[in-house]
Amino acid sequence: MCATKVRPSSEPAAPPELDRTDRAILRALQRDASLSNVALAAKVHLSPAACLRRVDRLKRGGLLRATVALLDAKALGLGMLVAIGVVLDRSTPESFAAVAEAAV
């Protein structure tokens, strides 16, 4: 009897080797992760079953980590928040005033 090492389920499998079809799947999902398996299969010229197996392999290999929705900040009326840190050589009222004036 041959002993095999069992990988813990929390540890991802080694990344798979990528061929042209795998790369096409990744490109298509990068553009639109909401594609159904049938639509994705048609785009990459595979049967739905073969496409699903490849996508599952890419997920197990850690190449597809998540499916996300990109929101349109402008359509949602959201602005941008930027945090900036400034370090001064001298901490004097004049240097603070100069930085405050330059930031406006």
Side-chain angles (χ1 to χ4, degrees), residues 4-29:
T4 59
K5 184 176 178 182
V6 177
R7 184 187 319 266
S9 62
S10 62
E11 185 180 328
E17 293 288 326
L18 299 179
D19 63 14
R20 174 185 281 167
T21 303
D22 292 327
R23 292 181 195 284
I25 289 170
L26 293 173
R27 270 192 307 277
L29 290 175

Side-chain angles (χ1 to χ4, degrees), residues 21-84:
T21 303
D22 292 327
R23 292 181 195 284
I25 289 170
L26 293 173
R27 270 192 307 277
L29 290 175
Q30 183 72 44
R31 286 188 191 105
D32 184 0
S34 70
L35 285 171
S36 69
N37 182 60
V38 172
L40 178 60
K43 280 188 176 290
V44 298
H45 311 292
L46 286 175
S47 71
C51 185
L52 187 59
R53 281 192 301 272
R54 283 182 180 250
V55 170
D56 286 342
R57 184 174 54 87
L58 293 168
K59 286 178 181 177
R60 283 192 318 274
L63 297 173
L64 290 172
R65 295 184 314 183
T67 301
V68 299
L70 300 177
L71 305 180
D72 186 329
K74 187 175 181 180
L76 291 167
L78 301 176
M80 184 184 305
L81 174 65
V82 178
I84 299 174

